[in-house]
Amino acid sequence: MPRMRTGMDRRTGMDRGAGMDGVSHSLRPAALVLLLSAVALALAARNFQVVLPAGDWWNAVLHPSEADMRQLMLHYSLLPRLCASLLCGAALGLAGVLFQQVLRNPLAEPGTLGVFAGAKLALAAATLWMPGLLVLGQDTVGFLGGSLAVLLVLALTWKRDLSPLLVILSGLVVSLYLDAISKTLVLVHFDALSDLFKWQAGSLSQNSWIMVAGLLPRLGIAAIIALCMLRPLALLDLDDDGARSVGLSLTAARALAIAVAVVLSAFVAGSVGVIGFIGLAGPAIARYAGARRLGERLVWGPLIAAALLTLADQLVQIVAGGADLPTGSVTALIGAPLLLWLIRKVRAAGPVVTRPRVALRQSARPWRLTVMLLALLLLVLWLTLSLGRVEAGWTWALGDEFHLLMQWRLPRVAAAAAAGLMLSMAGVLLQRVTGNAMASPELLGISAGTALVMIVSVLLLPGADRAAMMLPASLGAFATLLLMLWLGRRSSFAPEHMLLAGIALTTILGAVISVLMFSGDPRIVTVLGWLAGSTYSVTGRDAALVCSIALMMIIFVPLTGRWLSILPLGVATSSALGVTVRRTRLVLLALTAIMTAASTLLVGPLSFIGLMAPHMARMLGLNRPMAQLCAAGLLGAILMVFADWLGRMVAFPWQIPAGIVATCLGGTYFIWLIRK
């Protein structure tokens, strides 16, 4: 097997030579493992010292006294937790190396491929409807769910030769989609699932050696299988034809390696919950520290991941001060920026994300279609205001009953319509400005950035209502837009890079929410209600505010129609036609930020409406800016109103937030779009 050459990897797009020759001489993997391990063990010793003096450690390890609670705590809690962090980190690191080698993808790891989301959903479903499966063990159920999620990701990307960035994009979207379904189950069956999802947040707390004793032999068997597969896996560095020419069965090798990686990930998820990005960080750091060959990565990737997770967990114990803060949330906060950095290191090998094959013809009568959509919106508004469920069943509200219910239903229906309209118009602006047919406020992370600012504002400004949150939310959206444009400059605003960066920002938001949930701050209840996208608490004043903003956008955004027609022609042509490109983009981005902020305040940071509606308008043949803006706005309003009504009706008398319902609907559409 010849050594791999430095330079640009044709398959992954990862620059193997740049910056690594110098780094490998100064920071070898072994030295890095020793350094991380030394710091982690020093912090562990500090945490042990808080519980028990160092002189009593030996007795506590070998023969703990039942009369001394401190010795029991060290023996049955702190020591197993230290060993659990080492084993879980090594398992995730090994899974990450296997995924990256099989898929030829430096961004692959259990979290980005949907394994964790599939495992969580499978455990929730089994708890509700098939509790008998739990007799097989939570890791077995998690393995089934994680396997199905990975199979879905592979099915979506198989025809594109498992394109690295498309695989990760599909995995992250599948994860968001499955998480939305899981959240729906929690809302409907909160009593049955709340404890499960708290535990699944990634806490390494232990009260015995049972988990360690169960995970150790499994990790050992998986490591042996991986070492036995060293030569077949190394041949995957060749292209498919080259690997087949030396007698390798690609399907068998890939299937076995993926199965081992999914098993390892499911064991960790079933034992301690979701530990995000450790499987990405360990192999990536090992590679950039000089471990270029597969055999080296199989050794140093798991060791670095084990040291990283142990270090993070010991820091969590110090910062938490006795509180049970989930380590998985902290690793996500660290890992998402790492993903952003790695995205910048992967070049786009051709158009990975392209415009779907929809009808590109221009409708001969666009305004007739627009009028029809307006009529459909009015019909949907009337139906959602009139048709509903009560204790006796379905009923039409007429006459006095209709007027009585209007005070409750009208504010939330109006707010949902305004939010859907603005998200859709913002999606059109983003797609036109960036030239990215897959852009939307949700997928580019703009809604997530807005939500992060909302969280900070709620904590710093207690009692603030939606009107008071409007200014900081708009500033947060605008700042996120500028950040996304800065991140996209190096890749010339490649669609796949910007989408992955946006989803990484969404991951950071999820990690912050998890940390706040475990902080015990009572104000987080308000934040969770807003972020779930519930319109339940929308008042008449809130509805009037967002409808006023939507009306202003309806007036101002069409005035940008000429800009939207010229900007896709390029900077030189736009300047020649008298358009000041920089100023024009700033104006369009400011309008996008305002619409995104106002919508996020009502329906949460994720709904996919900003992606669905512009594409549906294109499918109707409305490709010109003005026609697409009008049609997309109406379609977005229809979709969000329907999502709000469906959330009120599907689990009556419980209510599912409109944002979660829209995410489930939009996630299905997004998966179909990737498939196309």
Side-chain angles (χ1 to χ4, degrees):
M1 178 76 189
R3 294 186 61 183
M4 290 181 294
R5 294 174 295 175
T6 59
M8 189 69 70
D9 188 308
R10 182 174 58 85
R11 284 282 182 166
T12 64
M14 177 67 75
D15 189 353
R16 289 181 173 170
M20 287 185 355
D21 289 336
V23 174
S24 63
H25 291 295
S26 60
L27 189 62
R28 300 298 299 173
L32 181 60
V33 170
L34 290 175
L35 176 62
L36 292 173
S37 300
V39 176
L41 292 176
L43 295 177
R46 182 264 180 196
N47 290 328
F48 289 179
Q49 183 73 34
V50 172
V51 175
L52 188 68
D56 297 330
W57 288 359
W58 187 251
N59 291 332
V61 172
L62 297 180
H63 306 289
S65 172
E66 296 183 359
D68 191 340
M69 183 58 66
R70 298 177 302 169
Q71 292 190 25
L72 292 176
M73 185 174 178
L74 181 64
H75 184 84
Y76 290 106
S77 180
L78 296 183
L79 275 177
R81 180 167 183 163
L82 175 62
C83 295
S85 62
L86 289 169
L87 291 176
C88 291
L92 294 175
L94 180 56
V97 172
L98 293 175
F99 276 132
Q100 292 173 16
Q101 183 67 14
V102 170
L103 300 176
R104 301 184 179 111
N105 191 334
L107 303 179
E109 66 109 18
T112 57
L113 292 177
V115 177
F116 288 147
K120 286 177 64 176
L121 181 56
L123 286 169
T127 301
L128 292 175
W129 300 303
M130 292 177 287
L133 285 179
L134 297 176
V135 176
L136 301 175
Q138 291 188 338
D139 48 7
T140 302
V141 177
F143 167 72
L144 295 175
S147 299
L148 292 175
V150 172
L151 288 175
L152 175 59
V153 173
L154 296 180
L156 290 172
T157 57
W158 192 267
K159 289 186 177 180
R160 299 297 299 273
D161 296 325
L162 299 178
S163 173
L165 290 172
L166 188 57
V167 167
I168 300 306
L169 177 61
S170 301
L172 290 172
V173 170
V174 167
S175 296
L176 294 173
Y177 179 55
L178 297 180
D179 280 337
I181 297 176
S182 299
K183 290 177 182 177
T184 303
L185 294 179
V186 172
L187 289 172
V188 178
H189 304 280
F190 182 80
D191 293 337
L193 296 178
S194 59
D195 291 339
L196 172 66
F197 272 74
K198 277 183 118 176
W199 171 72
Q200 279 284 313
S203 175
L204 289 168
S205 297
Q206 304 293 314
N207 55 17
S208 71
W209 289 90
I210 295 177
M211 192 279 286
V212 174
L215 186 59
L216 181 59
R218 296 171 180 177
L219 176 59
I221 294 172
I224 293 173
I225 295 175
L227 291 176
C228 291
M229 294 182 63
L230 179 60
R231 178 172 175 76
L233 290 176
L235 292 176
L236 292 176
D237 284 322
L238 304 173
D239 58 24
D240 290 353
D241 293 335
R244 291 191 187 97
S245 67
V246 295
L248 178 65
S249 174
L250 289 174
T251 303
R254 285 171 172 166
L256 181 57
I258 289 176
V260 172
V262 173
V263 166
L264 286 170
S265 310
F267 284 159
V268 174
S271 300
V272 299
V274 176
I275 306 291
F277 292 106
I278 289 297
L280 174 70
I285 294 175
R287 182 186 298 108
Y288 278 94
R292 302 181 190 179
R293 295 184 178 181
L294 175 61
E296 296 172 340
R297 295 199 302 274
L298 283 174
V299 173
W300 298 118
L303 291 178
I304 292 176
L308 282 174
L309 182 57
T310 304
L311 176 60
D313 186 54
Q314 297 303 320
L315 286 172
V316 165
Q317 294 181 59
I318 294 174
V319 173
D324 187 17
L325 183 66
T327 307
S329 300
V330 177
T331 59
L333 285 174
I334 299 172
L338 174 64
L339 178 61
L340 290 174
W341 179 75
L342 288 176
I343 290 169
R344 290 172 60 82
K345 292 292 183 181
V346 180
R347 70 174 174 88
V352 176
V353 179
T354 58
R355 184 171 297 172
R357 299 172 186 173
V358 298
L360 295 180
R361 62 177 179 82
Q362 175 62 36
S363 173
R365 298 173 178 175
W367 298 112
R368 175 178 293 183
L369 286 174
T370 304
V371 172
M372 292 174 62
L373 289 175
L374 178 60
L376 179 60
L377 174 60
L378 295 176
L379 177 62
V380 170
L381 289 173
W382 176 70
L383 289 174
T384 54
L385 289 171
S386 303
L387 180 61
R389 291 175 65 181
V390 296
E391 294 182 2
W394 291 91
T395 181
W396 284 96
L398 301 172
D400 294 338
E401 184 181 7
F402 178 83
H403 292 290
L404 180 63
L405 291 174
M406 283 284 284
Q407 61 179 321
W408 305 105
R409 292 179 179 176
L410 182 59
R412 62 186 302 173
V413 170
L421 181 142
M422 288 190 290
L423 278 176
S424 302
M425 294 175 66
V428 173
L429 294 184
L430 285 174
Q431 291 177 17
R432 294 277 177 174
V433 171
T434 63
N436 182 349
M438 298 290 281
S440 75
E442 305 95 339
L443 292 183
L444 292 189
I446 303 167
S447 298
T450 305
L452 285 172
V453 174
M454 285 171 53
I455 292 175
V456 175
S457 300
V458 168
L459 297 179
L460 297 180
L461 303 171
D465 57 8
R466 285 186 171 90
M469 297 285 290
M470 188 61 216
L471 178 60
S474 299
L475 294 176
F478 189 73
T480 307
L481 266 171
L482 294 180
L483 173 63
M484 292 301 302
L485 293 177
W486 178 78
L487 290 173
R489 288 182 61 187
R490 181 171 180 177
S491 63
S492 300
F493 304 103
E496 59 274 14
H497 284 195
M498 296 189 71
L499 291 172
L500 288 170
I503 295 177
L505 291 178
T506 304
T507 302
I508 295 175
L509 170 64
V512 171
I513 293 173
S514 296
V515 172
L516 290 176
M517 284 181 63
F518 280 82
S519 68
D521 194 323
R523 292 172 293 183
I524 193 60
V525 176
T526 302
V527 174
L528 291 177
W530 281 356
L531 296 183
S534 176
T535 57
Y536 178 78
S537 61
V538 171
T539 63
R541 180 186 177 191
D542 296 332
L545 172 64
V546 72
C547 287
S548 299
I549 297 173
L551 180 60
M552 287 189 293
M553 294 299 104
I554 291 174
I555 295 173
F556 287 115
V557 171
L559 300 179
T560 65
R562 179 174 177 271
W563 296 343
L564 297 176
S565 299
I566 294 176
L567 284 178
L569 301 178
V571 176
T573 304
S574 300
S575 300
L577 293 174
V579 175
T580 306
V581 176
R582 182 181 297 272
R583 185 184 306 166
T584 299
R585 284 179 173 171
L586 285 177
V587 172
L588 293 174
L589 293 179
L591 292 174
T592 302
I594 293 172
M595 290 189 289
T596 302
S599 303
T600 303
L601 288 173
L602 293 171
V603 297
L606 188 64
S607 67
F608 294 111
I609 296 295
L611 173 73
M612 290 175 63
H615 276 284
M616 293 174 72
R618 286 184 181 274
M619 294 175 69
L620 293 174
L622 303 175
N623 301 308
R624 294 176 182 172
M626 284 300 301
Q628 188 187 15
L629 274 171
C630 294
L634 293 172
L635 286 167
I638 292 170
L639 290 170
M640 191 59 74
V641 170
F642 176 71
D644 179 67
W645 178 84
L646 199 62
R648 286 188 280 130
M649 299 297 114
V650 70
F652 182 85
W654 297 278
Q655 299 195 34
I656 302 174
I660 292 180
V661 177
T663 302
C664 293
L665 297 175
T668 304
Y669 179 82
F670 192 91
I671 290 173
W672 173 82
L673 203 59
I674 291 177
R675 184 63 178 167
K676 296 290 288 184

